[in-house]
Amino acid sequence: MEERNKTLGEFIIENQEEFKYSSGELSRLINSIRLAAKVVNYKVNKAGLVDIVGAFGEQNVQGEDQQKLDVYANEVFMQTLVNREIVCGIASEENDDFITVKGKDGGNNNKYVLLMDPLDGSSNIDVNVSVGTIFSVYRRVTPVGTPVTTEDFLQPGVNQVAAGYVIYGTSTMIVYTTGHGVNGFTLNPAIGTFYLSHPNMQFSKDGKIYSINEGNYVHFPQGVKNYIKYCQTEENDRPYTSRYIGSLVSDIHRNMIKGGIYIYPTSSKAPNGKLRLLYECNPMAFIAEQAGGKASDGFNRIMEIKPTELHQRVPFFCGSYNMVQKAEEFMADAHGAK
């Protein structure tokens, strides 16, 4: 008889010893994310039927219009994590500042902080494009028992103990790593259970897809322009295919499965890039590296950047190792030619 796919719950229990500080918290944390993901998934799939799409009428701390679903997803993840008393602090792209989480005893004895983008790509909801949740987990650096401080959140990506994303699409998946490879779990909506569907996910060393908003070409740095021209040149295995959804989770997920590079560079319109180091780039970089890929700001490894503020933005090059390395070469050459 064919072996039944493991459930996410079974997988977590079987692999708990791989978690450096394992004492059950990671299991509870991933289980909380699993529960929140199911709730948000239900709302995302209902979005075309009820008045939950469209702008909320407010802007988030980034100055971007908040979608109603952004606000809803933020609340669901916050409540689920707070109620289970697993983390001592949460930082969200949707909130100005981090939130301190106290236990029922009023103490601050939990060991982990979580950073998240609760609904990445939400402006695509009303046109039925996949959106996602991105999360990143660190062990706190301030003493257990004291309230968390900014220092607990402003850690370089190399300190992450877990990271992942949920993709709400034609099928809903949780993809995550604890530093021992990347595994993907697909939701069976009939019974509400996530099953291991993509074990040991890997980026191919080379790929044939490049993902960048070419509409901004005129605003890009010269190194990026040169790399795009390289991708379009008919030579060897090129030209590459251009695929850009504009939903980070969807673009990275596709490129991990098919092989490719995702680029959101600096530009004259966004001098620091658009993506946030803490909520988007670090978790995706951790996943990419664990899947044999590479993540860079064009010159430096993303996960070694020391954050200076919660909502810091950085340029982002992420995907198949050789493709990112080639893009870095173009960046260095153009930088040296100045």
Side-chain angles (χ1 to χ4, degrees):
M1 194 172 120
E2 205 174 303
E3 188 187 346
R4 176 183 63 82
N5 277 6
K6 286 189 185 78
T7 66
L8 175 55
E10 289 167 343
F11 183 87
I12 291 167
I13 291 164
E14 279 182 25
N15 294 277
Q16 209 168 359
E17 72 284 351
E18 288 186 344
F19 190 56
K20 208 189 299 184
Y21 311 104
S22 181
S23 54
E25 289 110 332
L26 182 72
S27 306
R28 285 161 50 220
L29 186 56
I30 300 292
N31 279 327
S32 297
I33 289 166
R34 172 178 66 175
L35 175 62
K38 284 197 274 191
V39 175
V40 172
N41 176 64
Y42 176 70
K43 284 288 187 188
V44 167
N45 285 319
K46 272 179 65 179
L49 301 174
V50 294
D51 182 29
I52 192 115
V53 299
F56 189 64
E58 292 182 10
Q59 290 190 328
N60 65 13
V61 67
Q62 318 295 331
E64 299 159 338
D65 288 338
Q66 281 184 305
Q67 301 296 117
K68 291 179 185 177
L69 265 176
D70 281 10
V71 178
Y72 177 81
N74 197 43
E75 287 173 358
V76 168
F77 276 92
M78 287 277 188
Q79 284 171 6
T80 307
L81 290 160
V82 169
N83 290 347
R84 276 161 182 70
E85 293 193 44
I86 308 156
V87 293
C88 53
I90 303 170
S92 166
E93 185 181 303
E94 298 299 329
N95 296 107
D96 291 6
D97 208 350
F98 64 85
I99 288 160
T100 300
V101 181
K102 289 185 178 178
K104 288 190 174 72
D105 59 0
N108 304 95
N109 297 316
N110 294 319
K111 301 181 190 74
Y112 300 98
V113 295
L114 181 129
L115 299 94
M116 66 175 176
D117 180 351
L119 206 63
D120 179 79
S122 57
S123 59
N124 286 316
I125 286 272
D126 53 352
V127 289
N128 232 1
V129 167
S130 297
V131 293
T133 298
I134 308 171
F135 63 91
S136 174
V137 182
Y138 294 83
R139 195 170 166 87
R140 66 180 301 174
V141 292
T142 52
V144 171
T146 62
V148 287
T149 70
T150 314
E151 188 188 352
D152 293 306
F153 297 93
L154 297 184
Q155 298 188 56
V158 288
N159 291 1
Q160 289 174 102
V161 293
Y165 60 81
V166 185
I167 184 165
Y168 311 101
T170 45
S171 59
T172 294
M173 286 184 68
I174 290 178
V175 175
Y176 81 96
T177 182
T178 59
H180 297 271
V182 179
N183 292 281
F185 302 80
T186 300
L187 179 66
N188 178 340
I191 54 176
T193 302
F194 283 95
Y195 287 97
L196 178 62
S197 54
H198 293 66
N200 192 26
M201 296 176 77
Q202 289 282 312
F203 271 101
S204 56
K205 286 292 178 198
D206 295 285
K208 291 200 165 188
I209 295 170
Y210 70 101
S211 309
I212 187 170
N213 184 354
E214 291 181 77
N216 288 327
Y217 180 88
V218 69
H219 302 288
F220 290 152
Q222 192 58 46
V224 173
K225 289 178 178 175
N226 295 346
Y227 180 69
I228 291 173
K229 287 300 177 199
Y230 167 84
C231 292
Q232 295 169 342
T233 302
E234 197 159 353
E235 186 181 21
N236 300 326
D237 61 342
R238 288 173 283 124
Y240 297 148
T241 302
S242 175
R243 291 281 182 272
Y244 185 72
I245 298 167
S247 171
L248 175 67
V249 169
S250 303
D251 278 312
I252 296 283
H253 184 72
R254 179 204 53 241
N255 288 358
M256 183 153 50
I257 289 170
K258 294 189 176 258
I261 183 172
Y262 174 92
I263 304 175
Y264 206 114
T266 58
S267 70
S268 52
K269 293 202 298 185
N272 297 315
K274 187 187 174 196
L275 301 179
R276 290 83 181 174
L277 175 61
L278 294 178
Y279 311 111
E280 294 164 314
C281 302
N282 269 338
M284 286 305 193
F286 190 19
I287 291 164
E289 289 189 7
Q290 284 296 314
K294 186 172 171 69
S296 163
D297 67 357
F299 302 97
N300 310 291
R301 184 185 176 202
I302 283 288
M303 294 218 295
E304 288 178 356
I305 297 171
K306 177 74 175 88
T308 55
E309 53 185 83
L310 279 177
H311 297 285
Q312 182 173 344
R313 298 175 194 256
V314 291
F316 194 49
F317 297 67
C318 180
S320 295
Y321 193 95
N322 292 341
M323 296 184 83
V324 175
Q325 191 155 15
K326 178 61 79 173
E328 284 181 324
E329 288 171 17
F330 277 99
M331 293 297 287
D333 288 348
H335 192 69
K338 279 184 183 176

